[in-house]
Amino acid sequence: MADSQTEPRRRMGWRGWTLIGVIAVLLVGGIVWGVLANSGSDQADPGASTSPGATPTPQPTEFETPSPGATDGVAKPDDGEEVPIDEPAPAVEGVVTEVTDIEAITAGNDIPGEPSGPAIQVTVRLTNGSEKAIDTAGANVTLTYGGDDRLPAAGLTGEGTSVWPSSVAAGASADAVFQFAVPSSPDGDVRVIVDILAAVPNVVFVGPRP
C-alpha cells in the first residue's frame, strides 16, 4: 500500500521538472526573440538613417562685357616739302633739325653674321628753341637712295651709331648718328627722312650721294 502512494509522487516529480524545463526554454526563446526584434527595429528605424540633402541647382552667372573705350587714331600727315640736305628745317614748333654730316663708310660686321659693305653715315641734330622739352623717345631717321626710285636702305646698328635722348630740354640740342647699308649702285640723290612726332609731317632732306 505504501509503494502505491510513492509511485504517483515520483511521477508528479518528473512531470514537474519537465514542465519547468519547458517554461525555461520558452522564457529563453522569448528573451532571444525580443532582443532580435529590437535589433531589427533599430536597423529599420528611418530616423537612424540620414537622407542626402537636395543638390542646389547652379544659377547662371552673367558678366557684363565692358565696352572698349574710344581710341582716337593719329593719322601721320604727308611728308613736308623736300629740303636741301645742307640746310636746316623746322621739325616741330620751336624745334629745328639739320644734317650736320653725311659720309660714305664701310660698315657692318659689328654683329656676328652681319656682312660688311658700303654704307652711308648721317649725323642729325635737333635744336630745341621752344620753352619746353620735346619728346624724342619715338624719333627716328630713315634713308632712301637711287634718286626718284627711293629705294629704302637697311639701317645698321653697332659701333659708331647713337640715338637721341628720350627728350631734349628747352634751349638744348642733341645729335644722333645713323648708318645705312647702301650698295655701290645705283647712283642718284639720297633722301634723309627725319620723323620726330606722329602728329607732324616728316622732314625730308635731299642731296647728292656722298
Side-chain angles (χ1 to χ4, degrees):
M1 186 71 179
D3 292 338
S4 61
Q5 292 178 351
T6 304
E7 184 65 23
R9 290 179 182 177
R10 290 178 179 175
R11 290 180 180 177
M12 291 297 292
W14 176 82
R15 291 176 180 175
W17 284 112
T18 302
L19 180 60
I20 292 172
V22 171
I23 293 172
V25 170
L26 292 175
L27 288 175
V28 173
I31 294 172
V32 172
W33 179 86
V35 172
L36 294 176
N38 289 333
S39 176
S41 63
D42 291 342
Q43 294 178 357
D45 185 3
S49 61
T50 304
S51 58
T55 302
T57 304
Q59 299 297 320
T61 303
E62 295 181 358
F63 296 97
E64 183 178 354
T65 303
S67 17
T71 303
D72 296 331
V74 178
K76 181 70 175 179
D78 294 336
D79 293 344
E81 294 184 3
E82 296 180 349
V83 180
I85 204 166
D86 56 353
E87 295 182 8
V92 183
E93 184 177 358
V95 178
V96 173
T97 182
E98 58 184 320
V99 176
T100 59
D101 187 52
I102 181 170
E103 59 180 318
I105 63 170
T106 299
N109 209 23
D110 294 324
I111 300 174
E114 182 183 56
S116 61
I120 293 177
Q121 178 172 290
V122 182
T123 303
V124 181
R125 175 174 297 164
L126 297 178
T127 302
N128 185 4
S130 69
E131 296 180 353
K132 59 182 181 180
I134 180 69
D135 180 12
T136 53
N140 190 34
V141 171
T142 56
L143 182 142
T144 66
Y145 62 95
D148 291 336
D149 291 337
R150 303 189 183 193
L151 304 173
L156 302 174
T157 59
E159 185 179 356
T161 62
S162 63
V163 297
W164 292 298
S166 58
S167 65
V168 179
S173 62
D175 290 353
V177 180
F178 303 88
Q179 294 178 352
F180 303 93
V182 179
S184 300
S185 60
D187 296 327
D189 288 340
V190 296
R191 285 174 169 81
V192 178
I193 301 100
V194 182
D195 180 3
I196 303 298
L197 295 174
V200 298
N202 295 335
V203 178
V204 182
F205 295 99
V206 182
R209 174 177 179 157

